[in-house]
Amino acid sequence: MKLTEIDVPGYERVVRCDDSDSGLRALISVHDTTLGPALGGLRMWPYLSDQEAFTDVNRLSKGMTYKSAVAGTGLGGGKSVIIGNPKTDKSEAVFRAMGRFVDQFNGLYTTAEDVGTTVEDMVLVREETRHVTGLPREMGSSGDPSPYTAYGCFLGMRACVEMALGTNDFKNVRIAVQGTGNVARYLCRHLHEAGATLIVTDIVEEKVRRVAEEYGATVVDPEAIYDVECEIYVPAALGATINDDSIPRLKCKIVAGPANNQCLTVEHGDRLRERGILYAPDFVINAGGIINVSVELEPEGYNERRALEKVRNIYDAVRDILAKANAEDISTNRAAILLAERKLEEGRAKK
Ligand code: NAD
């Protein structure tokens, strides 16, 4: 087991994890623990280079700091990634080795599932460290965060619909969803039940077919999703899909969805605003999962009723950010970043 510290300005601790026995190659990034110990998921993805994984883990880790700051979870921001293919490179040894690396943080970083990992993988991580959340309900934990992320996202989308479309329901609202994975499937169910018309895509055909059958959605090719005439474009796959190429193509009035780091840069949020597209800042609208997990860490332990109560605050949180951006004549993502930074400043002042 080899742990290599990497100095990254603005980050509290970033390490590279190599374990030759299991073949694990991973990175753990703790961005900021001003407001509490860092919590963020463990992603497994076939990154094309170490640099790509390094950029991703640090962007995600900072996003977690902002997400928890705005949602008031009492947690800081961190994230980890395993460089590998979740279809072919998973093993008990890989996740147990990851658990041993997480354990080296002595609770400064707690992990959970994310893209490419599952509740079952976290059970293996738990063999080596107690600093892991989102374990099965039978273990007294909060389980899969995806339904809570989806529910919060649905409520945040309603706030956007009210502001941009002047209606408070989803009847006949056309919604283009990129990625039909864990969160999107739950989200599509809410939207379908609320009367929305769904257009969906995924790079995995069986996933998109299942959602199409369950919710009567129309399927388009992955590349065609940006060109779909719709009211809402929902990024629910990976990050950075709001960029120079996609923005001119979008034919929607709202961008709102669960994916992390949707805008490639902060300026891409400004570009959306210039095009008259309302953007729900990702780390505000997709906080349902971290809110659910954070309840697990409360002294009384996990309680679903309490978690849902807190997730419902996302409606107000999104509405407040949209209103703040309007009042200050800035893009919604800048308004959200300013709010997160202010919460961090307040936290630093109290220390
Ligand atoms: P997931 O892996 O279950 O779903 C992602 C889906 O996107 C997969 O089905 C994948 O095949 C598809 N995909 C990948 N690239 C694509 C592309 N170019 N075009 C179309 N489809 C593509 O992951 P998830 O847990 O549903 O998370 C989705 C997003 O939401 C991620 O960005 C994640 O970081 C974010 N998020 C998830 C949670 C949670 O609770 N799971 C919480 C907050 C944020």
Side-chain angles (χ1 to χ4, degrees), residues 57-78:
V57 77
N58 289 323
R59 266 167 64 84
L60 288 164
S61 161
K62 188 170 180 182
M64 290 309 295
T65 300
Y66 285 175
K67 190 185 306 197
S68 261
V70 171
T73 62
L75 295 166

Side-chain angles (χ1 to χ4, degrees), residues 266-267 270 281 324 330-339:
V266 179
E267 286 72 28
D270 301 335
K324 184 175 150 73
I330 54 175
S331 63
T332 52
N333 64 323
R334 285 194 191 271
I337 292 168
L338 284 174
L339 176 65

Side-chain angles (χ1 to χ4, degrees), residues 20-333:
S20 52
D21 291 348
S22 62
L24 173 76
R25 291 191 301 142
L27 290 156
I28 303 176
S29 169
V30 171
H31 173 249
D32 192 294
T33 59
T34 303
L35 300 175
L39 198 152
L42 166 60
R43 177 168 292 195
M44 186 164 188
W45 194 253
Y47 293 103
L48 296 178
S49 66
D50 288 7
Q51 184 57 42
E52 194 188 20
F54 176 79
T55 304
D56 202 35
V57 77
N58 289 323
R59 266 167 64 84
L60 288 164
S61 161
K62 188 170 180 182
M64 290 309 295
T65 300
Y66 285 175
K67 190 185 306 197
S68 261
V70 171
T73 62
L75 295 166
K79 201 88 181 184
S80 51
V81 299
I82 293 178
I83 302 167
N85 187 330
K87 287 206 193 83
T88 51
D89 298 337
K90 281 189 181 183
S91 69
E92 177 174 346
V94 159
F95 286 106
R96 289 188 72 141
M98 191 68 206
R100 290 194 291 278
F101 283 113
V102 169
D103 206 55
Q104 308 256 331
F105 280 74
N106 295 318
L108 195 72
Y109 169 66
T110 294
T111 197
E113 57 270 70
D114 192 68
V115 174
T117 60
T118 62
V119 172
E120 292 72 38
D121 300 332
M122 294 308 119
V123 174
L124 298 172
V125 172
R126 179 70 182 87
E127 293 290 324
E128 305 288 344
T129 182
R130 60 191 178 86
H131 303 297
V132 50
T133 54
L135 294 161
R137 284 281 164 85
E138 309 83 81
M139 293 173 76
S141 186
S142 59
D144 178 7
S146 306
Y148 302 90
T149 304
Y151 181 50
C153 198
F154 173 66
L155 299 176
M157 285 171 78
R158 176 173 290 152
C160 294
V161 162
E162 285 169 7
M163 179 163 282
L165 308 180
T167 164
N168 63 1
D169 69 31
F170 286 92
K171 291 217 173 61
N172 303 319
V173 174
R174 295 166 300 174
I175 302 181
V177 184
Q178 182 189 46
T180 50
N182 293 328
V183 180
R185 233 183 118 201
Y186 289 105
L187 180 60
C188 285
R189 188 174 73 200
H190 288 298
L191 294 167
H192 173 69
E193 285 171 2
T197 302
L198 298 171
I199 304 104
V200 296
T201 193
D202 200 290
I203 48 173
V204 180
E205 209 191 316
E206 67 194 69
K207 288 193 182 187
V208 75
R209 207 180 314 117
R210 190 173 58 181
V211 169
E213 281 165 14
E214 284 173 336
Y215 307 120
T218 305
V219 177
V220 297
D221 286 340
E223 249 312 298
I225 198 75
Y226 303 111
D227 305 312
V228 170
E229 283 278 355
C230 59
E231 278 70 43
I232 313 178
Y233 165 64
V234 178
L238 296 185
T241 63
I242 303 297
N243 52 44
D244 288 345
D245 293 332
S246 64
I247 291 174
R249 291 168 61 184
L250 292 175
K251 296 184 179 65
C252 59
K253 299 196 169 64
I254 298 167
V255 171
N260 282 309
N261 298 331
Q262 293 168 24
C263 293
L264 178 61
T265 67
V266 179
E267 286 72 28
H268 289 102
D270 301 335
R271 298 292 92 75
L272 285 178
R273 181 167 182 259
E274 286 157 18
R275 278 215 49 205
I277 296 173
L278 184 69
Y279 171 59
D282 45 14
F283 63 81
V284 181
I285 199 170
N286 74 9
I290 189 79
I291 291 172
N292 186 55
V293 161
S294 71
V295 171
E296 180 178 335
L297 304 177
E298 289 181 356
E300 315 83 64
Y302 184 67
N303 173 321
E304 189 180 30
R305 191 183 45 76
R306 176 142 177 73
L308 283 170
E309 242 170 58
K310 288 186 154 197
V311 171
R312 284 193 197 100
N313 293 335
I314 290 178
Y315 170 83
D316 283 335
V318 170
R319 245 173 50 144
D320 290 351
I321 285 292
L322 303 183
K324 184 175 150 73
N326 253 349
E328 293 180 15
D329 205 15
I330 54 175
S331 63
T332 52
N333 64 323

